[in-house]
Amino acid sequence: MKLPSHLQRPFFKVILGNDDIKALETWIYHEPSLEEFLSPDDYLTLIGLDFNDKKAVIELEKLISPYLDFLTYYQNLLKQTLSSLINNPDDFYKLSQIYDWYCQGYYFLRKLALTYGLSADLSFCDESYQNFQLSDDALAEIAQQALWLYDDLICQNIVLINPPSYDVNIDHFKDFRDDTQKVREDLL
């Protein structure tokens, strides 16, 4: 049985490297509903983890992964990222994330990823890109592309079937868009 989404979120934050494991430890000890959803053995193992150990995140991931819905998490995260770019197209962190997901098999993000996400990603690690700026036209294009992709996800014209990964031997999404929908990203 999967954990409810509000109970999955803190685990994802740690497993995917965005949050402190010590904060998760405190949360675990103060979240009584975890015991309802985990098997008795898994719950005891969870509260018995040594969160100070360098391998704690690895042990946590092995233990808790069967209770997490990675695909739903990424679907929601991608929709949130696109929604954010609609309203704030100059968010380099979000654009960089789009580039990362493209590299991990979400090839439907190609236009945003290669036209803007790569430059945003480089701005974090390459000094020659530190002053990278987006023109007003580029910002409008990013917002439009993000809106189209967001709509395609909502309408299930694009359906994620696997979380992003560098595994090239699996399909990561199904594209049900017709040719005119696919071409629109190249119109701008």
Side-chain angles (χ1 to χ4, degrees):
M1 170 179 17
K2 303 292 183 194
L3 290 170
S5 62
H6 72 282
L7 295 178
Q8 290 185 40
R9 218 169 291 123
F11 291 108
F12 277 121
K13 286 182 178 181
V14 169
I15 290 170
L16 299 176
N18 300 328
D19 210 353
D20 178 42
I21 194 163
K22 295 303 286 176
L24 179 70
E25 178 184 26
T26 302
W27 176 80
I28 287 169
Y29 295 137
H30 291 95
E31 183 53 59
S33 63
L34 281 173
E35 193 170 5
E36 297 172 35
F37 295 101
L38 301 177
S39 74
D41 288 343
D42 286 346
Y43 181 73
L44 289 174
T45 302
L46 178 65
I47 62 173
L49 276 178
D50 179 2
F51 289 91
N52 294 315
D53 186 345
K54 292 178 183 176
K55 297 178 186 175
V57 173
I58 295 167
E59 294 302 314
L60 174 70
E61 184 174 4
K62 283 194 284 189
L63 175 68
I64 209 69
S65 285
Y67 297 98
L68 302 178
D69 186 346
F70 285 86
L71 186 57
T72 298
Y73 176 79
Y74 277 105
Q75 285 173 335
N76 292 334
L77 189 58
L78 179 55
K79 288 176 191 173
Q80 289 169 2
T81 299
L82 290 169
S83 178
S84 177
L85 285 172
I86 293 166
N87 299 310
N88 188 18
D90 61 348
D91 185 334
F92 281 20
Y93 177 77
K94 301 275 192 228
L95 288 169
S96 179
Q97 186 64 61
I98 292 289
Y99 175 71
D100 192 40
W101 286 330
Y102 168 79
C103 292
Q104 294 182 54
Y106 286 173
Y107 302 127
F108 60 91
L109 298 170
R110 178 183 54 84
K111 175 82 171 179
L112 273 178
L114 297 180
T115 306
Y116 303 106
L118 176 58
S119 296
D121 194 56
L122 288 171
S123 73
F124 292 117
C125 59
D126 186 334
E127 284 186 30
S128 63
Y129 281 86
Q130 293 294 324
N131 296 321
F132 176 70
Q133 295 289 322
L134 295 166
S135 69
D136 289 342
D137 288 342
L139 294 172
E141 183 177 357
I142 291 167
Q144 184 62 65
Q145 291 293 323
L147 176 62
W148 284 336
L149 290 166
Y150 180 84
D151 287 346
D152 284 336
L153 288 167
I154 294 295
C155 295
Q156 296 188 345
N157 293 327
I158 298 172
V159 176
L160 305 183
I161 56 176
N162 281 302
S165 74
Y166 292 105
D167 186 348
V168 295
N169 295 323
I170 63 171
D171 290 329
H172 293 88
F173 67 98
K174 295 278 185 197
D175 193 338
F176 298 105
R177 297 176 294 175
D178 61 31
D179 288 338
T180 56
Q181 290 169 313
K182 291 177 186 176
V183 169
R184 70 182 177 197
E185 71 182 28
D186 295 324
L187 296 176
L188 295 174

